[in-house]
Amino acid sequence: MSEGQDRRARRATCGEEPPPLSVLMTYNFFEPGFRAGGPIRSIARLVDSCSEQVAITLVTGDRDLGGSAAYPGLSGRWVDRGRARVFYLNPRRARHWWTLWRTIRRRRFDLLYVNSFWSTYSLLPIIAARLGLLRVPRVMIAPRGEFSPAALALGALRKRIFLRSWVHVLRRGPVDWHAGSQLEGEMIRRALPWANVTVRANQAGLPAEPLPPGASRSEARLVFVGRISPMKNVDLLLTALGLTTAPMRLDLFGPAEDPVYWSRCQQLIDDLPPTVQCTYHGPLAPDRVRETFAGYDAFAMPTRGENFGHVIAESLSASCPVVCSDRTPWSDVLRDGGGVVLRDLTAPALAAELERIARLTPEERLRARRVAGEAYRRWAAASDESNILDHVRVQLQDAGDPLPPSREPARAHPSADTRR
């Protein structure tokens, strides 16, 4: 028996329960928003699935990605979400800062868990912790794919300069990193060789059984669901479609973040051959994603990099095969029947694969969808849905109870403050 296990056994014998791990969590976007994609769903699952021995205080923005209006009735307020407390902040409102500060300044947190490496919602609390303005001894950073080569290449010079200066701040105290896959862990260590990385897959929170596929139509139906952005490589997908000759249809769902990039995509759509029908439908609400995937023969996702790829799990859970790059943690599942992995991420290679799908018979495409559902079922049965925050809680308790005796265990959350 390890020392930590022995310590827990003595507590159980004495009837002692350790106080909850108090976590201050931050991210720009959260529900009811959905335009920021997979990170919102991953964080929501993280908040909702932790044990009673974790108390979360989440600070987030009061509007969705690209939105000009705040969520109705939430801006500047503390809101209960199960055992967690969520504060919806407008950074431009001084009163919001005061409402937030007068609550969290009285608290002692055990862990600051930030989502994103570059966001001001991460930088400001880390600086506050280093200056002693926030009483929190440990920091965990979940970069959510921001250390992939493609992500680092966007604004590369600015990121390199910032990284060199920011590293000195991070190394002044205990900092751990949460990677959603072994692939992301390697990317973090490549940029920061000294980083202490914990690999724990994001929790999908999807049913164990896939949706049964319906009958395929004579014309191949392809779909893209995600942010219309350079990281998702939508322009490559549209360029590849321009090289095909077989009849097919592509439906695009997702927010168009960058007007310049979207303008380029629109031009590529206008230049598509008459054999290809392409329609943009705008953002897709999260509760409609699985049912939408269920109506298509393949999800075309030539992404430049994903730390997890929640939308890939959603596609497979709807028995929709995925045509994807090899820059995600899903390559083994796709090779196991879930779809196709493209090592050659070029327009001709992608076009050849889309052409192959389009020339299959409806029966062959239906068979591929059933195989994708079976691959998902095997993945779901083997997946680890444990919560990273509970993992940290057990680690800290095994290392020696980090919670001081002066702490008030009965107050797991700050008191509600609903004033604007």
Side-chain angles (χ1 to χ4, degrees):
M1 180 181 293
S2 70
E3 182 181 347
Q5 290 172 326
D6 183 59
R7 187 181 296 112
R8 288 201 300 274
R10 289 198 304 270
R11 283 194 185 121
T13 302
C14 298
E16 296 179 12
E17 280 292 334
L21 181 79
S22 182
V23 180
L24 177 60
M25 184 184 297
T26 64
Y27 189 54
N28 307 43
F29 308 106
F30 191 61
E31 294 180 349
F34 60 89
R35 291 171 179 255
I40 291 181
R41 296 195 288 279
S42 295
I43 294 168
R45 180 64 179 167
L46 186 63
V47 169
D48 295 339
S49 67
C50 62
S51 73
E52 294 182 357
Q53 288 301 306
V54 177
I56 296 177
T57 300
L58 171 61
V59 179
T60 187
D62 71 344
R63 62 201 66 201
D64 207 352
L65 176 66
S68 58
Y71 306 126
L74 296 180
S75 185
R77 297 183 61 184
W78 285 105
V79 178
D80 289 315
R81 182 184 174 105
R83 294 185 300 274
R85 300 285 289 159
V86 183
F87 185 75
Y88 289 89
L89 172 70
N90 181 343
R92 298 182 180 181
R93 298 285 296 275
R95 180 174 293 182
H96 287 199
W97 284 106
W98 172 242
T99 300
L100 173 64
W101 176 243
R102 71 181 181 181
T103 299
I104 65 174
R105 68 177 178 175
R106 299 192 299 264
R107 301 265 314 144
R108 185 194 187 280
F109 297 96
D110 302 306
L111 178 71
L112 171 62
Y113 182 95
V114 299
N115 296 274
S116 172
F117 181 71
W118 313 106
S119 167
T120 54
Y121 279 75
S122 301
L123 306 182
L124 289 180
I126 290 175
I127 291 173
R130 291 293 179 261
L131 294 176
L133 300 176
L134 284 176
R135 295 190 294 165
V136 55
R138 304 191 67 88
V139 175
M140 176 169 272
I141 301 174
R144 304 289 173 187
E146 293 172 338
F147 280 89
S148 71
L152 290 175
L154 299 174
L157 178 59
R158 174 179 56 85
K159 289 179 179 178
R160 281 199 301 270
I161 293 172
F162 174 81
L163 189 58
R164 287 173 185 169
S165 59
W166 189 233
V167 161
H168 298 294
V169 177
L170 295 178
R171 299 192 74 170
R172 291 178 186 171
V175 175
D176 299 308
W177 298 76
H178 174 203
S181 65
Q182 291 290 347
L183 177 64
E184 185 180 28
E186 294 167 6
M187 292 173 180
I188 294 171
R189 293 187 186 101
R190 194 176 303 136
L192 305 169
W194 49 268
N196 180 32
V197 181
T198 298
V199 177
R200 183 73 55 170
N202 294 333
Q203 298 166 270
L206 294 169
E209 288 295 312
L211 293 174
S216 293
R217 303 181 186 182
S218 58
E219 179 185 74
R221 291 167 55 87
L222 309 175
V223 66
F224 172 86
V225 178
R227 292 178 291 115
I228 311 295
S229 71
M231 274 299 295
K232 304 302 181 183
N233 235 354
V234 179
D235 58 335
L236 179 71
L237 171 59
L238 295 172
T239 301
L241 284 172
L243 302 178
T244 63
T245 58
M248 65 186 80
R249 172 176 176 172
L250 172 69
D251 288 328
L252 295 170
F253 295 90
E257 300 177 0
D258 183 342
V260 176
Y261 184 76
W262 176 233
S263 178
R264 167 171 165 71
C265 291
Q266 287 178 308
Q267 184 60 55
L268 290 170
I269 292 172
D270 292 341
D271 294 339
L272 288 173
T275 51
V276 179
Q277 291 183 313
C278 180
T279 306
Y280 175 59
H281 298 273
L284 184 64
D287 58 358
R288 293 188 52 222
V289 171
R290 289 186 77 223
E291 68 181 48
T292 297
F293 273 128
Y296 292 89
D297 298 302
F299 170 30
M301 190 187 186
T303 176
R304 295 185 179 187
E306 301 290 326
N307 79 308
F308 177 63
H310 195 281
V311 71
I312 297 175
E314 289 177 305
S315 178
L316 295 174
S317 77
S319 299
C320 180
V322 182
V323 179
C324 189
S325 70
D326 63 351
R327 303 171 191 182
T328 81
W330 290 92
S331 293
D332 289 344
V333 179
L334 299 188
R335 294 189 182 107
D336 186 41
V340 175
V341 179
L342 292 173
R343 298 189 65 182
D344 181 13
L345 195 57
T346 62
L350 179 56
E353 184 56 39
L354 300 180
E355 184 90 14
R356 182 193 68 80
I357 293 171
R359 295 195 180 280
L360 295 175
T361 65
E363 292 75 19
E364 289 172 327
R365 291 198 296 272
L366 178 59
R367 191 177 308 121
R369 292 166 67 186
R370 288 175 178 151
V371 171
E374 292 167 2
Y376 169 80
R377 185 181 290 111
R378 289 190 291 273
W379 170 82
S383 62
D384 180 4
E385 285 284 298
S386 59
N387 191 295
I388 180 63
L389 298 180
D390 277 299
H391 175 76
V392 171
R393 173 180 59 82
V394 172
Q395 277 191 326
L396 293 179
Q397 290 173 356
D398 283 354
D401 192 351
L403 308 181
S406 61
R407 186 154 159 217
E408 300 177 51
R411 293 192 61 193
H413 303 291
S415 58
D417 186 342
T418 58
R419 287 182 288 181
R420 293 178 182 270

